[in-house]
Amino acid sequence: MELDAGWFNELLGEMGQAVAWRRAALCPCRDPYSGAAQQGCPHCAGLGWLWAEPVSAWTGLASMRVVKEWAAFGLWASGDVVLSVPSDSPLYSAGENDRVVMENSSEPFSIHLTREGDERVRFPMVQVDRVFWINPGSGELVEGGVPTVGADGVPTWSDPAAAPDPGIQYSITGRKRPEYFMFKELPQDRAHFAGAPLPRRMVLRRFDLFGSQSAT
């Protein structure tokens, strides 16, 4: 019996998801002795890692049986995703700490920012549904206008009167793309058929758990 890698690629290409993949690299700010990242580094924000520009890729999602097996090892965290990546996808060469955005999925979010003019939403956006804040004088809630969020994550209002005043903390809700990072010890090759390029199994963990959303 021989498994056909091309058949797997075709199947996963049809039933999989589009993703945006960003390769990870160590930030040069790390201490050469301790390996610790420099706190407040303007490049990695103290995470110790930098990420390249996104590359479009595609992947399949593993079955629930595989997910349950991963949980049985005691390594599972809420939100983990197990992928089955075809060999013809750029994601096939992904490694530890790489970031992956699911481009065919969305989920709700609610965060607060402080109006400074350059504050940023630091995750992949889909839409903004609501912006509101507390009037510092009356204590009442103020409904603001819905801003446009650019590629840099900075919200801008076409009508300045609909935006919070400088220094005001405001809440912003909407929908975003789920983002993950490649968990350690994986990806895992299939050690069958003399190293044939069969799909690789990869475990992704929510990027929120990486350490901070201050990196971009």
Side-chain angles (χ1 to χ4, degrees):
M1 182 181 71
E2 183 177 354
L3 298 181
D4 188 334
W7 184 87
F8 279 111
N9 292 345
E10 182 179 354
L11 177 64
L12 292 172
E14 292 178 354
M15 61 183 295
Q17 280 209 29
V19 300
W21 162 51
R22 299 176 64 184
R23 184 179 291 281
L26 284 171
C27 182
C29 78
R30 284 179 178 259
D31 186 277
Y33 301 103
S34 68
Q38 177 184 334
Q39 296 302 306
C41 172
H43 304 289
C44 73
L47 292 182
W49 292 89
L50 299 174
W51 289 272
E53 291 299 310
V55 174
S56 295
W58 54 95
T59 182
L61 298 177
S63 68
M64 287 304 299
R65 184 180 65 84
V66 175
V67 173
K68 289 178 180 178
E69 289 174 355
W70 177 249
F73 281 109
L75 300 173
W76 181 264
S78 178
D80 283 1
V81 173
V82 181
L83 305 182
S84 186
V85 183
S87 62
D88 62 347
S89 171
L91 189 63
Y92 197 71
S93 61
E96 185 176 345
N97 292 330
D98 287 3
R99 290 165 68 170
V100 177
V101 175
M102 297 295 184
E103 296 194 311
N104 297 141
S105 303
S106 68
E107 62 187 14
F109 76 88
S110 183
I111 60 172
H112 63 263
L113 300 172
T114 300
R115 183 62 178 154
E116 298 170 342
D118 60 353
E119 71 273 18
R120 289 190 289 171
V121 178
R122 300 181 183 272
F123 44 73
M125 286 279 303
V126 176
Q127 65 187 47
V128 175
D129 297 326
R130 184 188 181 198
V131 171
F132 63 99
W133 59 91
I134 298 174
N135 185 306
S138 65
E140 297 179 348
L141 289 178
V142 178
E143 294 291 334
V146 175
T148 298
V149 180
D152 58 359
V154 177
T156 58
W157 283 262
S158 57
D159 180 5
D165 292 331
I168 293 293
Q169 180 172 287
Y170 61 96
S171 293
I172 178 170
T173 65
R175 297 192 71 82
K176 65 176 182 175
R177 300 292 183 199
E179 185 172 19
Y180 300 83
F181 71 95
M182 203 74 65
F183 194 50
K184 64 181 180 179
E185 299 179 359
L186 294 168
Q188 183 179 69
D189 286 319
R190 315 280 181 171
H192 308 291
F193 299 100
L198 300 175
R200 283 179 174 165
R201 185 173 66 182
M202 301 182 183
V203 173
L204 305 184
R205 183 149 289 178
R206 293 302 295 256
F207 189 69
D208 309 62
L209 302 178
F210 192 86
S212 170
Q213 280 288 10
S214 60
T216 57

